[in-house]
Each structure stands twice: as structure tokens, then as C-alpha cells.
Amino acid sequence: MEGAAAEKNGSPPPWAPVERGQSRRLPDFLQSVNLKHVKLGYHYLITHLLTLLLVPLMVVIVLEAGRTDPDDLRQLWVNLQFNLVSILVCSAVLVFGTTVYILTRPRPVFLVDFACYRPPDRLQVRYAQFMEHSRLCGNFNESSLNFQRKILERSGLGEETYVPDAMHHLPPRPSMSAARDEAEQVMFGALETLFRNTGIKSKDIGILVVNCSLFNPTPSLSAMIVNRYKLRGNILSFNLGGMGCSAGVIAIDLARDLLQVHRNTYAVVVSTENITQNWYFGNRKSMLIPNCLFRVGGAAVLLSNRSADRRRSKYSLIHVVRTHRGADDKAFRCVYQEQDDDHKVGVYLSKDLMAIAGGALKTNITTLGPLVLPISEQLLFFATLVANKLLNAKVKPYIPDFKLAFEHFCIHAGGRAVIDELEKNLQLRPIHVEASRMTLHRFGNTSSSSIWYELAYIEAKGRMRRGNRVWQIAFGSGFKCNSAVWQALRNVKPSPEGPWEDCINRYPVEIIDGIPSSFSPINGSSTLAA
């Protein structure tokens, strides 16, 4: 049947012999060969090039050693025995070199565990509640309400994010007392979960670093923690303020530096933000966006430099790279806390924010790339750079494939646009930004702690395997772009009382044009507490 059909179509059957002079065309390799696999093969070749070159050398050495007469080896040993000066010099050099190496190499820093704060369900705010509450409080005109509605619908936030107690009242009740209550609920909630999961005792904590950008009371937030848990009197405590959403990585960097100096101790890092006193009640649209995006959240991280903690730790800190663009006036003012024309305080976001963030990211990954990328990617990047700069060839700049360096990405969930741009510019796949999108959907922008909710998501999904590397990247006012690289020390399971414990099976959810598939129109009345 097949042969008859072939003859009818004018082509010979499959079994027909090829006549003399008839040539078969070669397949189109550009279509039949997956160039991704070619690049992967090139990557493995360059990565293991040194090993491939050393194998023949080792074979030659082994063969020559096998041909050596035992008497020659015995004579060499006798000569060395009677050359005391050579032995002493070699031994001194060996001991000195070993001592210098041990004293100068950085001590490993382990992440024993971390905990993210899960607010009570009574603090959840749905779309309809948010808009109705904004209307009833009487501070916003119709144009501002419509603007907030559009931002909220396109933000990527879901219906289960949280706002503090003070914002659930009509009228809202922002006060110093309410702000302290919010800070205590978040910080102590995360810390108590961390202490339960790790069994750490307060007297064992030698370093405490707290970061919160917009709320800096006296006594400080770090002093509140010392007082609550009766930490020891010689603890090294630090309180970082005004450093934006990337301050979590800065706090980790500070703790790492302190752990290099102080032996056999623990460091606790607490990252949070405070919303109660920083809600904007004006009508300047560039200052209304934070109202729609920022939500309650916080995280506590336990770090250790004790070698005995390696076995029970989750991750090892590999690199921290920090980029600061504050010398540029436009970058410095792109996220700026100020008063509007009606003297109402809020945080202004510039229209140039994404462009400035892109420049900061470019500088950051230019520094990070040589530390983490395989040599194959570095050679490709260097080749295109030389072609463009020295040979004046108009070659498209090569974007390194960071997927070859990292298995997981924790991109600060600052907003849908931030995640979209990094997914596009770093050529990531949807699964690489899934943790960021779902964190934004479930918890909103929790500022510096968002990268920890994302890491908790990856763990809850059971995706973290031994040896996997994680890239945490965050942006903050100033303007800053900071990166932290971690490597998993084992197959990591989620810790008890995690933020995704009772909802991970519902994720990922489909988000179309910023609107979750479960989105319902904004209508109905407010059910917030009056």
C-alpha cells in the first residue's frame, strides 16, 4: 500500500535501489540539530578542558614511574636522608605555606535554618476590601481611587495578602504604639519559630543584625529583641535603617564579615518592614503605588561559623556582591521618601525606576559573573567584548546564561514589572521565576524578607537538592542592587511551621496579565473592622 501510494505520487518506494547518478540530499542540520544541545556540549567541553588535558599527562607519569628501577628510588631516598638542609628548608616552606593558607582563607558561613512570619488570617485584605476601605477613609479623590484599582488589578497580588491591624480600622489608626505592635508581632513571630526549629539558646547568639527601612524607633528594633529574649550583655547588635528592599542581603553580608572575626558563634539576621506609620494618605499618584504593593512580612535567619553545624545546616554562603549607584543623582532620588504638596509623607517612585534598576543589575552581574559562571560562558562573553571594542565588529553583545550557574533564582518580589524584566533580560524560564511570582501573589511585596519567602517556596515544592546553587537578588533605594549566592549542603526539606505549609498544594496559580485566574471584580462592601 505504501509503495503504491509512493509510485502514484511520483516518488520511488522506500525499498527501491538508488540509481547511479542519483544523490540523496543531506538533512538540514540547522533544523535537525538542537543548538541548545550544541551549546551544552561546548559548555561541558570547556569546563572539563583542564581535566581532559591532565589525563594524558597523568598516564605518561604513571607509565614512567612503572618503568623506574626500584634501586634508583632507593638511591634517591638515601641522598635525601643525608641532605639535612634541603629537608629542613622544604619542611619550613611547607609548614609556613600551610599556616598562611589556614589563617587567610575565609571561614565557611552556614545557614542553619530560617523562618518566615505568617500573619494571622484576620489581617488578610481582599481586593474589594482594600478598595472599599480606601474609599471610606475619605483621604483619596476619585482619580486616586481609580489609579489604585488599576495598579492593584495589574500588580500580580492575590486575595490573601496582609496589612497591619491599624489599617483595618475606619478611620485608620497609625501611631507609634501600633507600629511597635506590628514590629513585635513580625519579628518575634519569626524568631520564635526559628528558635523552636533549631533549638538555639539565647546565650549562644553572639551577633544580631536587624534591618527595617522606614521604622526606626528608640530604643532600636535590635534592642527590642535583646530585651525580649534576654540576649547576653556582650552581644554585637546592629540596626540597619533606610536601606530599602535590598537591606536583607546587606544584613547577611554584615553578619558574614562579623563571623569571619568572631569564632564559634551564631549570628541572627532579622529582615522586615513596617507599614503602620508609612501608609500614604495623599493623592500624588507616584506615591500611591507602595500602598498597593507593600504588605506585612518578615524573616529570621540563623547563621553559624561552627564546623560542627555543617551537618545540620541547609546552605553554605558562597558569595555576596553589592552594587551602589547612589553617586548618580537620578538613581539616588528614584525611590525617595518626602512630603507632597499637602505635607503628607510617602515614598515617591520615579518613572525611571526600571531603567535605573536595569543599570544597577548590569553592574552587579558584571561583578558576579566571573565568580559563578563556567569558563565557557566567560570565554563567549569575552570574545564578543573584544570583537566590539577592539575589532569594531558590530556583534550583538552576548548575554551569559546564568542558568548554567544556578538551579534556583529568588528575585525580589518588588512588583510584577521587576520580575518580568529580569525573566526577559536574564533569559529565564517560567519555572525560574515561579517562586517570585507566587510569593508576590500570596504575600505581596514584603520588602527585604521577600527573598526568604521565595526560598521557602522552593523548599516546600521539594526542588532543593544537594549541591544546588541559589541566587538571591534584591533592589533597594539609594539605588542598590545586591546579590547573595548559597549552595545547598543536602536535599533540603521545608522546616516546620513554614509560610507555605498549608497552601503549597494550591500553587502555582495561573496569572494572566497580572490578574490571578481566581480574580473577581471589585465590588461588594467592606468587611474590615470599624
Side-chain angles (χ1 to χ4, degrees), residues 186-366:
V186 175
M187 295 191 306
F188 298 162
L191 283 168
E192 286 168 9
T193 300
L194 180 69
F195 293 159
R196 280 195 298 269
N197 290 342
T198 60
I200 187 73
K201 298 179 181 178
S202 60
K203 65 181 180 62
D204 294 328
I205 301 172
I207 300 165
L208 173 65
V209 183
V210 180
N211 69 269
C212 181
S213 187
L214 294 175
F215 181 60
N216 293 283
T218 300
S220 66
L221 298 178
S222 60
M224 290 166 62
I225 294 174
V226 172
N227 176 260
R228 169 64 177 260
Y229 295 102
K230 311 304 177 187
L231 303 184
R232 65 196 202 193
N234 64 343
I235 190 169
L236 302 174
S237 65
F238 300 85
N239 201 96
L240 307 180
M243 305 193 79
C245 299
S246 66
V249 177
I250 298 174
I252 291 292
D253 190 31
L254 175 58
R256 179 192 64 169
D257 291 345
L258 293 168
L259 287 171
Q260 296 300 316
V261 178
H262 302 275
R263 294 177 176 271
N264 297 319
T265 190
Y266 290 103
V268 170
V269 174
V270 179
S271 297
T272 186
E273 191 52 84
N274 195 282
I275 298 175
T276 296
Q277 285 191 309
N278 296 287
W279 202 268
Y280 175 61
F281 292 102
N283 291 290
R284 189 175 173 184
K285 292 181 179 178
S286 59
M287 300 170 75
L288 281 169
I289 298 175
N291 286 11
C292 302
L293 298 179
F294 281 87
R295 297 293 185 264
V296 173
V301 183
L302 178 63
L303 304 175
S304 172
N305 59 10
R306 300 184 180 189
S307 56
D309 284 321
R310 181 184 181 90
R311 293 183 61 185
R312 71 170 184 143
S313 298
K314 288 184 173 183
Y315 306 96
S316 176
L317 181 59
I318 307 300
H319 301 292
V320 175
V321 174
R322 293 167 55 183
T323 302
H324 206 306
R325 300 289 300 275
D328 178 75
D329 290 341
K330 186 177 287 188
F332 174 72
R333 293 187 64 90
C334 73
V335 180
Y336 202 80
Q337 187 179 26
E338 61 183 5
Q339 289 181 323
D340 63 10
D341 295 337
D342 297 322
H343 306 291
K344 294 180 179 179
V345 178
V347 177
Y348 158 79
L349 301 182
S350 168
K351 294 180 179 179
D352 300 322
L353 177 59
M354 290 308 302
I356 292 169
L361 173 65
K362 181 180 178 181
T363 304
N364 190 268
I365 64 177
T366 301

